[in-house]
Amino acid sequence: MATITRVRPRVLVRASGGPRYAVALAVDALGTGLLRPFLLLYGVTVLRLSAPVTGTAMTVGIVTGLVCMPAVGRWLDRGARSTVVAASMLVRVLGVALLLAAPAGHVWLFATAALFLGIGNQAWPTAHAALVATVAHGRERDTALAGARALRNAALGVGALLATACLAGGTTALRALAAVTALAYLAAAALAWSVHVHAHPAEAAPAKDRDDEPAPRMLALLAANVIYVFCLNVPEIALPLVLVTQLHASPVWPAAVFVANTVLVVTLQVPVTVLMSRFSRGTVLALSGVVLTASYLGFLAATSLGHGWSTPAIAMVSVVCTIGEIIYAGSATALVTAVAPAHVMGRALARFQLSTGFGLAVSPAVITTLAPHGPAALWGSLAAATLLSAFAVAIEKDQETRLSGCCNRERAGL
């Protein structure tokens, strides 16, 4: 089994789609960081909508955006790559334009804008993974996916910081942030389209097979992924909820946890992915579930220490949770690209994104429902569900070995 023992920046950039594509990713993430954390605030402050109405419109937009994923998968399976990435960015330009055009109190324009933003945000990860899987192979591809995630998190963080600094300007500043976001998406789309990456599925399988053969079902992986992605909302939702509303800690603590999470992802995503490349992707994904389970049990133990010790203990355990998140993010999408035949890669990645989007959509409601029932209900439930998911992945991990050989034979004809 091939492994990568060190990170070579030039090789990593080339495997990620090239310098222009890397810049496109950074610009796109910068624009997302400018607007996404304050979309709710935009609806409430600029459009004068109520918070429940604004939140409902955003949720509906995100969930409805998932409906487009089967079409995105089939588009990718026809060979499109950079075109789909650019389209996912352009549709968000339209969403921001609707935000800017919406008059105060007009909920339907805001909801439509949230829908287009949701479509772009759901389509982008699938299109990006398919593009990277086309230009890179094996463990080099895994590292490229990890590098793109680190770059994106860094740019998201910078964008969020810039937006925070501009908030003192009120509604005028929020409108300006939206306009800058639209320009960033437009520039990123142009850069992404300019790399002209296109796959040739006709060389991977006969046309009849491409039309008739379904994508791998991956039921265990998809079901487990719904639970795994809860970890992405732990630093943003679960920990602030516990620290501020239950332990009555200063808001500085959840902010520090979130910053630490971002810094660790940016600095460790690639090295940890490279380190884990000596093991099979299924084994690594199962291991991430074990690490996440241990962190949830750690949070449960930390909350029993008393107010003087619980807060710093939770902050320390959050590092373990972030390590689990890093291991998960470095193996999950890579596993899908390894087990999916080239001519159904788009549909397989679309199914995976559906499970990711569903998990991200329901996790805030699940977390906020469990939290009032006490630490055991929240962290115990998350630990049990995640451990069960890790066990399911461990049972199915030999699928990678069975199918990757088939994929390699197909790709050898490219």
Side-chain angles (χ1 to χ4, degrees):
M1 177 172 51
T3 60
I4 296 177
T5 57
R6 61 192 179 95
V7 180
R8 291 171 292 178
R10 288 186 179 180
V11 174
L12 181 59
V13 171
R14 185 174 66 249
S16 300
R20 276 180 298 171
Y21 187 68
V23 173
L25 294 185
V27 173
D28 176 74
L30 183 66
T32 301
L34 285 172
L35 182 63
R36 191 171 70 179
F38 306 105
L39 185 57
L40 178 67
L41 191 60
Y42 189 97
V44 173
T45 304
V46 179
L47 302 184
R48 303 187 185 283
L49 303 173
S50 68
V53 168
T54 305
T56 300
M58 291 172 60
T59 300
V60 170
I62 293 171
V63 174
T64 308
L66 290 171
V67 176
C68 75
M69 293 314 302
V72 171
R74 291 191 175 277
W75 190 9
L76 290 167
D77 285 339
R78 294 189 183 99
R81 291 295 185 267
S82 55
T83 302
V84 186
V85 174
S88 73
M89 297 171 176
L90 284 175
V91 75
R92 284 179 284 179
V93 174
L94 180 57
V96 178
L98 288 174
L99 280 182
L100 292 170
H106 203 298
V107 65
W108 290 110
L109 268 181
F110 179 80
T112 305
L115 170 62
F116 284 119
L117 290 169
I119 290 173
N121 289 333
Q122 299 294 345
W124 180 86
T126 298
H128 164 70
L131 185 147
V132 173
T134 301
V135 300
H137 304 288
R139 294 296 181 171
E140 186 178 79
R141 176 192 58 221
D142 299 14
T143 308
L145 289 169
R149 182 171 191 260
L151 174 64
R152 185 168 178 80
N153 273 268
L156 281 169
V158 172
L161 287 174
L162 290 174
T164 302
C166 294
L167 281 182
T171 58
T172 301
L174 284 173
R175 287 189 178 276
L177 285 174
V180 171
T181 298
L183 292 175
Y185 286 153
L186 189 62
L191 286 168
W193 179 82
S194 71
V195 302
H196 298 302
V197 175
H198 189 90
H200 301 284
E203 298 179 13
K208 183 178 184 302
D209 290 345
R210 295 199 312 274
D211 292 336
D212 296 342
E213 182 178 343
R217 299 185 70 184
M218 307 180 295
L219 293 180
L221 174 60
L222 296 180
N225 187 54
V226 172
I227 303 300
Y228 271 109
V229 296
F230 275 54
C231 72
L232 302 180
N233 276 329
V234 166
E236 294 188 27
I237 297 174
L239 293 184
L241 188 64
V242 170
L243 288 170
V244 176
T245 66
Q246 296 182 0
L247 298 179
H248 307 291
S250 167
V252 171
W253 281 101
V257 167
F258 183 80
V259 170
N261 173 272
T262 302
V263 171
L264 288 173
V265 170
V266 171
T267 57
L268 296 182
Q269 185 66 70
V270 172
V272 169
T273 301
V274 170
L275 180 65
M276 293 290 106
S277 67
R278 65 193 66 191
F279 307 107
S280 73
R281 298 175 184 89
T283 298
V284 175
L285 185 57
L287 173 64
S288 71
V290 174
V291 175
L292 289 171
T293 299
S295 72
Y296 297 151
L297 294 176
F299 288 134
L300 177 59
T303 56
S304 65
L305 297 178
H307 294 302
W309 296 96
S310 290
T311 298
I314 286 175
M316 288 188 290
V317 174
S318 70
V319 174
V320 179
C321 186
T322 300
I323 297 299
E325 173 193 334
I326 289 170
I327 299 173
Y328 154 70
S331 57
T333 303
L335 178 58
V336 176
T337 62
V339 302
H343 56 285
V344 291
M345 177 76 71
R347 278 169 283 176
L349 287 168
R351 287 183 178 180
F352 182 75
Q353 180 59 29
L354 277 171
S355 71
T356 299
F358 178 76
L360 289 175
V362 302
S363 57
V366 172
I367 289 171
T368 53
T369 299
L370 291 174
H373 296 285
L378 174 60
W379 302 118
S381 298
L382 288 179
T386 305
L387 187 61
L388 181 62
S389 299
F391 181 70
V393 169
I395 292 176
E396 295 293 328
K397 70 183 180 66
D398 61 323
Q399 182 184 26
E400 177 187 359
T401 304
R402 294 197 306 269
L403 294 179
S404 61
C406 174
C407 287
N408 289 336
R409 290 193 297 272
E410 289 177 346
R411 289 170 182 166
L414 289 177

